[in-house]
Amino acid sequence: MAGGLAVVLSGGGAKGAFQVGVLDALITGKKVSFDVAVGTSTGAIQAAGVAQNDIGKLIQFWTSIKGPDDIYKKRGGTFLNIITGKPSMYSVEPLRKLLKQTIDTQKIRASGKRLRIGVVNLTTGEFRLVAENADNLADWVYASCAMPFVFPPQESEDALGHDEQWVDGGVRDVTPLDAALNELPRAILVVRASAPAGPAAPKKYGSLTSIGLRAVDILQNEVSTNDLKNVNLINQLLNARDRQRVELQSLGLAGPQIAKVMAPLEMAVAQFRLVPVKVIEPPKNLYDTLEFNSALIKDAIQMGRDCVSEHWGEIEQFLGV
């Protein structure tokens, strides 16, 4: 139903472990309930966990990862992949298996929560949102994680039997805030997987693969930053609206008079579906996008829990719980 809380979970590969800690602290620890969960790329995994009402299963997914081989397998050298026509650098049977074990389509449908997963059609470039009523949600979550060049696309057929390929929703929308605004929640909490861009420790990227992955990481961070560039504007506009209403009341205007004066602004707010938005993000990145290290993953999960603990006062006030 409209009017509940929404959570938006960005892309960021292995750095999505931070989001797991945040969700565990909020949902398990503070008993916060989200009615809408929107996610792209790694955020799609966390969004499915929220919609499934099973944060424990989500934690199990992440803590079961001991290394990269639990997510993807190397096919061979980059040059060999090119000349043999492979669709990606890596095969992803381990990731697909983990998603099948973790995501339960029937539980998601039974929860009553709204799920929105961002994917991109490789042929048309269309960004599409997959909802909780779709079949085989584990496959759609994988599609949202299918970073082009790195992981193979998800294959499907349209209603006319035409072949389709689906890839990472982060190609178009790393942090799908607009999708959450369309659900008309009372407030939106955005949880980013990656820290804000800033000075990085010196590091040399020597191979074609490492350079390519680093470029993708930079691009995703830039897209995510652009996705959220209007957050401050939205909140400032809503605060200005509330201050204006209080000022009119202080002048002694009656309710109908206030409503008449405020009507143009209220129409603009309604037209653009504006609601308060708060962003939670890690203070730093502990590792790169595809660096699946069990010890660092556990550290990132704990960082997410600690972030909620440290900022709970302001989070609680914002969410109104």
Side-chain angles (χ1 to χ4, degrees):
M1 65 178 180
L5 293 174
V7 61
V8 174
L9 299 138
S10 77
K15 290 179 280 192
F18 170 81
Q19 298 172 325
V20 177
V22 171
L23 294 172
D24 185 39
L26 290 174
I27 296 172
T28 308
K30 300 297 185 182
K31 308 303 179 186
V32 175
S33 179
F34 293 102
D35 300 281
V36 181
V38 183
T40 292
S41 196
T42 188
I45 302 174
Q46 279 64 265
V50 173
Q52 193 168 306
N53 264 337
D54 198 343
I55 300 303
K57 196 78 170 179
L58 185 60
I59 294 172
Q60 183 181 341
F61 172 96
W62 281 93
T63 55
S64 71
I65 298 170
K66 306 307 178 188
D69 284 348
D70 290 327
I71 298 295
Y72 56 84
K73 301 282 188 181
K74 291 184 178 179
R75 296 185 187 273
T78 303
F79 179 70
L80 181 62
N81 289 334
I82 293 172
I83 65 174
T84 57
K86 299 297 184 184
S88 62
M89 289 172 52
Y90 303 116
S91 63
V92 289
E93 285 76 12
L95 174 58
R96 286 185 176 276
K97 182 178 179 181
L98 267 179
L99 291 173
K100 294 285 187 183
Q101 292 171 347
T102 303
I103 297 170
D104 188 322
T105 299
Q106 296 306 318
K107 281 187 177 180
I108 291 174
R109 289 178 181 172
S111 74
K113 297 181 184 294
R114 284 170 282 166
L115 174 65
R116 303 291 182 266
I117 297 167
V119 295
V120 169
N121 186 305
L122 192 58
T123 300
T124 65
E126 169 200 7
F127 179 84
R128 181 181 296 182
L129 290 168
V130 177
E132 69 281 351
N133 57 354
D135 294 327
N136 304 315
L137 283 172
D139 289 337
W140 286 111
V141 170
Y142 167 72
S144 190
C145 297
M147 187 187 305
F149 176 69
V150 180
F151 294 164
Q154 170 68 26
E155 309 281 345
S156 70
E157 289 186 354
D158 65 15
L160 299 176
H162 299 142
D163 291 335
E164 294 180 311
Q165 292 176 297
W166 301 92
V167 296
D168 190 341
V171 171
R172 293 288 303 270
D173 199 346
V174 176
T175 310
L177 178 60
D178 286 348
L181 289 169
N182 288 337
E183 297 301 318
L184 303 178
R186 76 168 187 266
I188 299 172
L189 184 66
V190 175
V191 186
R192 294 187 63 190
S194 300
K203 182 176 181 179
K204 184 176 182 179
Y205 298 88
S207 69
L208 175 63
T209 300
S210 65
I211 292 171
L213 291 176
R214 176 57 179 155
V216 169
D217 204 23
I218 294 170
L219 178 61
Q220 281 196 331
N221 201 300
E222 181 67 18
V223 173
S224 180
T225 299
N226 288 336
D227 290 342
L228 297 176
K229 65 184 178 182
N230 290 326
V231 166
N232 288 336
L233 179 60
I234 291 171
N235 289 336
Q236 289 172 7
L237 178 59
L238 293 175
N239 288 335
R241 177 198 62 181
D242 294 341
R243 290 196 301 270
Q244 179 74 2
R245 187 181 289 113
V246 170
E247 181 66 20
L248 292 173
Q249 290 172 342
S250 71
L251 294 175
L253 272 67
Q257 293 173 307
I258 293 175
K260 183 177 181 180
V261 173
M262 296 291 295
L265 182 55
E266 295 290 3
M267 287 178 62
V269 169
Q271 178 185 353
F272 294 103
R273 301 180 174 91
L274 303 184
V275 298
V277 180
K278 182 174 182 60
V279 179
I280 296 178
E281 54 195 3
K284 62 181 179 180
N285 294 320
L286 298 181
Y287 45 79
D288 291 333
T289 300
L290 291 183
E291 189 177 350
F292 290 91
N293 176 295
S294 60
L296 293 178
I297 284 173
K298 289 176 183 176
D299 288 345
I301 292 174
Q302 189 57 46
M303 182 189 288
R305 294 186 181 117
D306 292 343
C307 186
V308 171
S309 178
E310 292 167 11
H311 301 282
W312 174 241
E314 61 191 78
I315 295 171
E316 180 182 29
Q317 183 177 16
F318 172 78
L319 295 177
V321 296

